[in-house]
Amino acid sequence: MSMKNYDYQYEELLSEVRDFGRVKSDRTGTGTRSVFGHQMRFDLTDSFPLITTKKVHLQSVITELLWFLRGDTNVKFLQDNDCRIWNEWADKEGDLGPVYGKQWRSWDIGGGFAIDQIKGAIELLQNDPDSRRIIVSAWNVADLQKMALMPCHVMFQFYTEELSDDERDAYAAKHPGQKVPERRLSCQLYQRSADLFLGVPFNIASYSLLTLMMAEQVGMAPGEFIWTGGDCHVYSTHFAQVDEQISRAAPCDYPTMKLVNKPASIFEYTHENFVLEGYDPAPAIKAKVAV
């Protein structure tokens, strides 16, 4: 667990792609600079990796994650909670086809049966925490053509490890009065297509938050969130915004995220369960999403 409370990983990746990325065409016809294959690691033990060189709208991050966990695929819930990030892909009824929530919660296996991958992951974490099969996938090949947008963040895997005696002592010192967990939970995401300026800050925050929630539900300490990107790109329409962001002062310390009033299940969290402290970002930078 080597990461500090602050780091330059995200900003360094932006700079690398801006300066050395290959010019590539893309599905939207916008054009990008791109590199293939990159990894960032974020320590969740003491901080929450919400980018500080521009403000990230955390409420939208939370709303989208809760929407995924509901198994929802219509934008009404998002819009009712002032989150409009999926509007461009929805049909006139607000439907998106069998996107993330459908695959996470109700992967169709035929005959009227479906698999709830989130429940399955929790059961494995509780009963077989050393399993190498604690994986959730959104890349359902049979459903891809029915989706308004094929999954960009395609699969994630959980990994647990026992805490050493020294690590348990350190945890007890930081969390007086709390039960000391036996294990630590980490998560790695593979993102096949990574819109670095607009999408990736959301994705980092979303899956870090999911890791905290899963850890709380199964009685483990948070470990790391590991982001692995495939096609890591900056759209040509975002070059000016990336230049502005990189020119800003060095990143501030990341904030902390507290989970309060633990609900009975992973599916019962609301916005009120999350308390962000110490977030002091630079102003937001607006940009249009490439559709």
Side-chain angles (χ1 to χ4, degrees):
M1 309 301 293
S2 60
M3 295 311 305
K4 297 181 180 179
N5 226 20
Y6 55 91
D7 61 62
Y8 295 79
Q9 293 181 94
Y10 170 72
E11 289 76 14
E12 287 176 345
L13 178 55
L14 276 181
S15 295
E16 177 185 348
V17 174
R18 179 195 65 175
D19 295 340
F20 305 110
R22 296 296 184 97
V23 175
K24 284 177 64 73
S25 61
D26 68 283
R27 172 188 56 82
T28 71
T30 306
T32 70
R33 285 189 178 273
S34 169
V35 300
F36 185 56
H38 192 90
Q39 188 172 85
M40 298 183 283
R41 306 179 77 100
F42 301 94
D43 184 356
L44 303 180
T45 58
D46 294 310
S47 63
F48 184 72
L50 197 62
I51 302 306
T52 64
T53 46
K54 68 173 183 180
K55 184 176 182 180
V56 178
H57 192 240
L58 180 65
Q59 287 298 99
S60 291
V61 173
I62 293 172
T63 297
E64 183 190 47
L65 178 57
L66 298 180
W67 179 68
F68 291 157
L69 289 169
R70 286 162 54 95
D72 203 342
T73 59
N74 186 285
V75 296
K76 185 178 186 307
F77 173 83
L78 299 175
Q79 293 173 348
D80 288 347
N81 287 277
D82 197 28
C83 177
R84 311 196 182 280
I85 58 178
W86 279 89
N87 282 4
E88 287 85 355
W89 292 280
D91 68 16
K92 61 183 180 180
E93 283 80 33
D95 291 323
L96 294 155
V99 293
Y100 297 97
K102 164 70 174 173
Q103 306 306 332
W104 285 20
R105 299 296 318 281
S106 186
W107 181 297
D108 187 5
I109 58 173
F113 297 96
I115 295 172
D116 188 326
Q117 295 188 84
I118 300 296
K119 283 185 178 179
I122 289 175
E123 289 170 1
L124 278 172
L125 288 170
Q126 293 171 329
N127 300 315
D128 188 10
D130 282 328
S131 173
R132 296 186 292 267
R133 302 175 179 180
I134 312 176
I135 292 172
V136 175
S137 175
W139 194 259
N140 185 340
V141 176
D143 280 351
L144 290 178
Q145 300 304 322
K146 306 172 190 174
M147 301 178 188
L149 183 65
M150 294 183 186
C152 293
H153 31 111
V154 298
M155 63 168 287
F156 52 100
Q157 179 178 7
F158 292 105
Y159 176 92
T160 79
E161 55 192 320
E162 291 188 1
L163 295 175
S164 67
D165 290 341
D166 288 344
E167 289 168 334
R168 291 191 185 103
D169 290 342
Y171 185 95
K174 289 180 181 178
H175 305 88
Q178 292 187 20
K179 182 180 178 181
V180 178
E182 296 294 316
R183 285 181 173 264
R184 173 169 48 221
L185 178 67
S186 295
C187 176
Q188 179 170 202
L189 168 71
Y190 179 73
Q191 186 162 348
R192 66 163 182 93
S193 177
D195 173 354
L196 291 178
F197 181 74
L198 281 181
V200 169
F202 264 63
N203 305 134
I204 292 169
S206 179
Y207 281 89
S208 295
L209 189 58
L210 177 62
T211 305
L212 296 181
M213 295 160 67
M214 294 287 281
E216 180 176 61
Q217 286 296 313
V218 299
M220 297 183 188
E224 285 183 296
F225 170 62
I226 301 147
W227 180 91
T228 301
D231 187 321
C232 306
H233 53 267
V234 173
Y235 284 102
S236 60
T237 49
H238 298 165
F239 288 170
Q241 290 91 333
V242 168
D243 287 344
E244 179 182 351
Q245 185 172 357
I246 291 172
S247 71
R248 290 178 169 180
C252 304
D253 287 6
Y254 282 149
T256 57
M257 175 68 75
K258 292 184 178 178
L259 273 57
V260 298
N261 301 321
K262 175 185 173 183
S265 84
I266 191 71
F267 309 115
E268 297 178 38
Y269 285 85
T270 68
H271 288 81
E272 286 68 36
N273 294 116
F274 309 108
V275 178
L276 185 72
E277 296 180 346
Y279 189 44
D280 185 24
I285 305 174
K286 292 185 178 181
K288 291 185 177 180
V289 65
V291 179

